[in-house]
Structure formats: C-alpha cells, structure tokens
C-alpha cells in the first residue's frame, strides 16, 4: 500500500517542482515526464484505477528514506527524538522497513546513528527474534566512519556475540523452539561475520566458535562464513580438511565437505580428496 500514489497527486508534486525551477507549461511538461518515467525509463508503472507505483522497490525505499532525512536535516521539521521514536521506534519490528532505516543511517551524521543504535539496544526484542539488535548491526554497517561512536559499536558487537549463545533458559524438545534458537544464533553469527569482517579479532573468534560451541547448527553457519568470507586466508583449506576428518558432529563434517567441494573445486587434488 505504501507503493501507490494517485495520478493527480503525482502530477501535482511534479508540477510544484517544475514551478520552483521556472518551467513554463507545467501541466504539459509534468504529464510528459510521467509518460517518460513510465514508458521509457521504467521507473513508474500504471497499476490501474488512476494509480501509479514504482516498478522497483529500491526507488520506493530510497525516496522514503530521503524524505525523512530531508525533514531531519533540511527543513528540520523532524527532530532527533522524532527520528528515533517515531521513525525507528515505530518501524524496527517490521523487517520490510529495515532497508529504509539502513539508508537513513547512511545519510545522517554518525553521532545521530550512535544515538539510534543505543536506542535499539535498549529495546526488548526477544519476542521479535531480536530484530532490534540485528537492525542495529545493519545500521552500524552503513556508517562511513565509526570513530566518534566506537563505544557504541563495541557494546553492540558484544551484544551480538552474546546472542550467538542464546537459549530459552529451559530444556525443550519442541522442534519449533529449537528452530527459533538456531535461527537467532545463526543470524547473529552472520551479522558479526559480515559487518565486522575487517575487525582483526573476528576471524579468530569464529574459529573458536567452531571448536567450542555446543550448537552444531551454529557451528555449520560459522564454517560457511569462514569458508566464504576468509577464503584467501592462509591455511583455510587445511582447517576445513581437519574439520572433515576429526570433528565429532556429522553435520559439521558434512558442511566442511560441502564448502571444500564448492569453494575449492578447481584446485588440484580436491577430486581425489573427495573420493577418499
């Protein structure tokens, strides 16, 4: 529903802009531009009933984000509290909004992003599968320089690492509950491995997780992240071979074999290794 605009409203928005840059015959030009965007550029599409929409969601998300940033930075009709509480506070639970919120984080000053991330970390997100912390990690990744908010970044990274050890606090044989735990833990690993890849300690932390963590599904995810994100590191292939041979978990051994077969398939000796 957010990707719909009435034809008259669209035309008026374009006409108002054209007037601001002293274009004559604004009605004619506005309609020609709408036609151009629809037929030639494939940015807008006509969906019937007098309504238009963006063809690609990317445009919707970008302009939505820029609208909030414009209100915050240019017209100043949206204050910091409004940005945090009304925009991020109202939408962090809805994953469809996450890309918009990430884009906003990449457009504003890092100190404000630090305040937003602190707010997200304060929320109780357990019922929402900790979307508050995962969104905070994504927002942090959009910051061009975290130099001024390094303390916030450090706290967030520690929270996400702690989340890789998440459990329900009680024994459960429920498949759905176990699936939920695995989903949260593996998502936390993905966020850390993806957005803190250049952090020197991340690689060692991941290797330690393979050895020490009791959750075999988490360990499989860690192996996937290591094999794809650190493929060029010296000794990775030998490390995978060791896990294939010596690890006690069938799932971990299987995942190590899969990563060798896909990531090193053209390397000499791999076929013979797989045969063995």
């Amino acid at each position: 529903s957010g990707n719909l605009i009435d034809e008259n409203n669209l035309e008026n928005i374009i006409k108002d802009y054209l007037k601001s840059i002293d274009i004559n015959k604004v009605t004619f030009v506005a309609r020609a531009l709408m036609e151009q965007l629809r037929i030639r550029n494939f940015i807008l599409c006509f969906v019937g009933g007098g309504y238009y929409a963006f063809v690609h969601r990317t445009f919707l998300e970008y302009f939505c984000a820029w609208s909030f940033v414009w209100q915050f930075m240019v017209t100043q009709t949206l204050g910091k509290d409004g940005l945090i509480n009304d925009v991020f506070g109202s939408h962090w639970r809805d994953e469809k909004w996450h890309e918009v919120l990430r884009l906003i984080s990449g457009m504003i000053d890092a100190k404000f992003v630090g305040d937003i991330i602190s707010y997200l970390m304060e929320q109780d997100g357990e019922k929402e599968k900790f979307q508050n912390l995962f969104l905070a990690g994504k927002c942090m990744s959009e910051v061009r320089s975290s130099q001024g908010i390094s303390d916030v970044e450090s706290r967030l990274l520690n929270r996400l690492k702690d989340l890789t050890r998440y459990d329900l606090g009680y024994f459960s044989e429920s498949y759905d509950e176990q699936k939920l735990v695995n989903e949260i833990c593996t998502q936390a690993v993905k966020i850390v491995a993806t957005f803190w890849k250049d952090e020197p300690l991340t690689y060692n932390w991941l290797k330690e997780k393979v050895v020490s963590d009791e959750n075999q599904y988490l360990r499989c995810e860690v192996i996937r992240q290591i094999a794809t994100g650190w493929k060029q590191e010296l000794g990775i292939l030998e490390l995978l071979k060791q896990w294939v041979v010596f690890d006690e978990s069938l799932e971990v051994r299987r995942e190590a074999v899969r990563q060798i077969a896909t990531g090193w398939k053209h390397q000499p000796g791999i076929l013979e290794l797989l045969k063995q």
Side-chain angles (χ1 to χ4, degrees), residues 7-263:
E7 184 173 23
N8 293 327
N9 288 341
L10 176 62
E11 182 179 317
N12 287 334
I13 288 170
I14 297 175
K15 284 162 65 175
D16 287 344
Y17 173 72
L18 294 173
K19 291 175 184 176
S20 73
I21 58 173
D22 297 326
I23 297 293
N24 296 320
K25 299 180 180 179
V26 290
T27 299
F28 172 79
V29 176
R31 291 175 180 173
L33 180 56
M34 289 164 61
E35 194 76 357
Q36 173 82 11
L37 293 173
R38 182 172 70 90
I39 294 177
R40 302 286 295 180
N41 301 123
F42 304 108
I43 290 178
L44 296 176
C45 63
F46 184 69
V47 295
Y51 285 94
Y52 281 78
F54 287 114
V55 175
H56 301 290
R57 186 178 178 85
T58 303
F59 289 110
L60 172 67
E61 291 168 338
Y62 172 79
F63 285 118
C64 180
W66 181 242
S67 175
F68 287 121
V69 172
W70 183 267
Q71 295 172 58
F72 179 63
M73 295 177 59
V74 181
T75 65
Q76 297 184 350
T77 52
L78 179 66
K80 185 180 77 170
D81 291 342
L83 181 66
I84 293 174
N85 297 312
D86 298 337
V87 181
F88 282 81
S90 298
H91 299 297
W92 69 260
R93 295 173 179 84
D94 187 350
E95 203 165 353
K96 294 190 295 292
W97 272 81
H98 282 196
E99 188 61 30
V100 172
L101 302 178
R102 285 183 66 173
L103 287 168
I104 293 173
S105 300
M107 296 176 182
I108 62 177
D109 193 279
K111 65 180 180 181
F112 297 122
V113 183
D115 294 335
I116 290 168
I117 290 172
S118 294
Y119 166 83
L120 290 172
M121 284 193 287
E122 292 168 1
Q123 307 309 300
D124 183 0
E126 188 167 16
K127 291 182 179 179
E128 289 80 18
K129 303 178 184 179
F130 297 99
Q131 289 296 327
N132 58 317
L133 296 180
F134 297 145
L135 174 61
K138 295 171 184 176
C139 291
M140 180 62 75
S141 73
E142 300 294 334
V143 176
R144 291 179 177 84
S145 173
S146 61
Q147 186 174 1
I149 55 170
S150 57
D151 59 326
V152 177
E153 181 180 21
S154 179
R155 286 192 290 117
L156 174 60
L157 179 56
N158 289 331
R159 288 285 299 277
L160 289 165
K161 285 182 176 180
D162 289 343
L163 200 55
T164 64
R165 299 189 295 270
Y166 173 74
D167 62 45
L168 298 171
Y170 57 86
F171 177 75
S172 173
E173 293 183 350
S174 166
Y175 171 79
D176 289 337
E177 288 185 334
Q178 287 299 320
K179 182 181 178 182
L180 173 64
V181 170
N182 293 333
E183 180 182 335
I184 290 170
C185 292
T186 55
Q187 179 69 5
V189 164
K190 288 179 185 177
I191 295 288
V192 173
T194 302
F195 300 136
W196 278 271
K197 183 178 182 298
D198 296 328
E199 177 69 31
L201 297 178
T202 300
Y203 177 47
N204 290 331
W205 175 77
L206 289 170
K207 288 193 294 183
E208 179 61 28
K209 295 294 284 184
V210 178
V211 175
S212 63
D213 204 283
E214 296 179 357
N215 186 331
Q216 65 176 353
Y217 296 99
L218 175 83
R219 294 169 66 209
C220 289
E221 182 58 44
V222 173
I223 287 175
R224 281 191 287 272
Q225 295 300 324
I226 288 176
T228 54
W230 283 265
K231 185 178 179 180
Q232 305 306 320
E233 284 285 332
L234 191 64
I236 285 290
L237 180 56
E238 290 305 314
L239 198 57
L240 290 168
K241 289 178 182 179
Q242 290 178 27
W243 290 329
V244 170
V245 175
F246 297 111
D247 200 276
E248 295 180 357
S249 168
L250 170 64
E251 293 299 328
V252 170
R253 295 198 303 272
R254 178 184 288 128
E255 187 57 45
V257 169
R258 184 181 292 114
Q259 293 305 321
I260 290 173
T262 55

